[in-house]
Amino acid sequence: MNHVLLIDDDVELVGMFSEYLEREGFRTTCVHNGADGAREALRGEYAIAVLDVMMPGTNGIEALRLIRAGSRIPVLMLTARGDDADRILGLELGADDYVAKPCTPRELTARVRAILRRTQASVDNGPGVVITVGKLSMYPEQRRATWDGVPVELTSTEFNLLEVLARHAGRPVSKAELSEQGLGRPLARFDRNIDVHLSSLRQKLGPLADGRSCLQTIYRLGYQLIRD
């Protein structure tokens, strides 16, 4: 799938993004308000949605809530530069990543490719591979995970980050590594994406036998998935 849904009330900007994406081999559909955009995203016909935060009526945050209530489609948020509150709230609600506006079509396309590369990547180890760490089981080809046999609902980026940690279980993984392997891009200065996604993962995964989270912060080294 290479069909991109663009949701933004700025018709001229969306047209520019759409034209560039289509030159790069993507199909695009453009919607110019949040309510219609959320309904369109829930149709299941798109590889990714690009969603602007600042829209009249149903804004991007409200549209994201509607999307996440019924779909795990990757969502890339467009946020105002320096607006950390909307950025963090969007990540907490299940956005996969964000791009600060103004941004170039080239930057947007690179970020879309990075998300889709991880989402759609085939597993080199062959079919049926299962990564098991304690009560956690991950099925990369099916993009699903379970904890003690119970399905865990993860966003695309949460799955990517947890897979990286699971493949390196028992040792710390730096934020730079997690950004490169999980987000598909270098870690930016003051970027809190990883921290917000890991906080969400802690809430979704069950505790260890002693009550601790299986995801531990290792001072100055990064994050570690504990073997239990």
Side-chain angles (χ1 to χ4, degrees):
M1 291 179 64
N2 69 342
H3 198 169
V4 180
L5 175 63
L6 298 167
I7 309 170
D8 194 321
D9 65 316
D10 188 331
V11 176
E12 184 177 350
L13 180 66
V14 167
M16 181 175 64
F17 286 157
S18 176
E19 182 179 345
Y20 191 91
L21 283 161
E22 290 184 356
R23 287 207 308 265
E24 293 295 306
F26 292 94
R27 296 170 56 209
T28 64
T29 294
C30 304
V31 180
H32 302 298
N33 67 80
D36 289 344
R39 280 193 291 270
E40 191 68 23
L42 291 169
R43 291 176 57 190
E45 298 180 1
Y46 301 93
I48 186 171
V50 178
L51 176 62
D52 184 37
V53 170
M54 296 298 294
M55 289 185 289
T58 302
N59 64 29
I61 296 298
E62 293 167 347
L64 178 60
R65 291 183 197 273
L66 294 171
I67 292 169
R68 279 291 169 257
S71 173
R72 289 186 290 169
I73 180 178
V75 175
L76 176 64
M77 300 290 289
L78 294 175
T79 66
R81 191 172 298 279
D83 195 344
D84 291 337
D86 279 343
R87 193 170 298 167
I88 292 171
L89 179 57
L91 293 171
E92 289 175 341
L93 291 174
D96 290 272
D97 205 350
Y98 65 85
V99 175
K101 296 170 71 174
C103 64
T104 65
R106 182 178 182 181
E107 180 184 1
L108 178 77
T109 302
R111 199 64 63 84
V112 166
R113 285 193 193 282
I115 294 173
L116 294 183
R117 188 180 304 118
R118 289 295 304 169
T119 304
Q120 300 174 354
S122 60
V123 179
D124 295 333
N125 294 343
V129 171
V130 181
I131 304 169
T132 301
V133 181
K135 295 181 180 180
L136 174 68
S137 295
M138 301 193 72
Y139 305 81
E141 286 197 339
Q142 301 170 37
R143 303 286 297 174
R144 67 181 182 91
T146 63
W147 180 270
D148 202 17
V150 178
V152 182
E153 293 294 323
L154 302 175
T155 67
S156 172
T157 294
E158 288 170 353
F159 187 94
N160 295 343
L161 293 170
L162 186 56
E163 181 184 352
V164 174
L165 290 165
R167 291 185 183 276
H168 298 85
R171 77 166 181 83
V173 182
S174 70
K175 287 177 66 174
E177 280 185 272
L178 285 168
S179 187
E180 289 279 3
Q181 297 180 39
L183 301 181
R185 61 178 175 83
L187 181 67
R189 192 179 183 189
F190 305 124
D191 191 342
R192 293 191 58 193
N193 268 15
I194 302 296
D195 305 302
V196 176
H197 287 306
L198 267 291
S199 175
S200 176
L201 281 169
R202 284 194 180 102
Q203 295 177 34
K204 292 182 178 184
L205 298 177
L208 300 173
D210 60 7
R212 292 180 301 158
S213 169
C214 63
L215 288 172
Q216 295 290 309
T217 302
I218 310 300
Y219 182 63
R220 290 188 174 179
L221 294 177
Y223 291 98
Q224 178 176 325
L225 180 63
I226 295 179
R227 293 185 179 277
D228 185 26

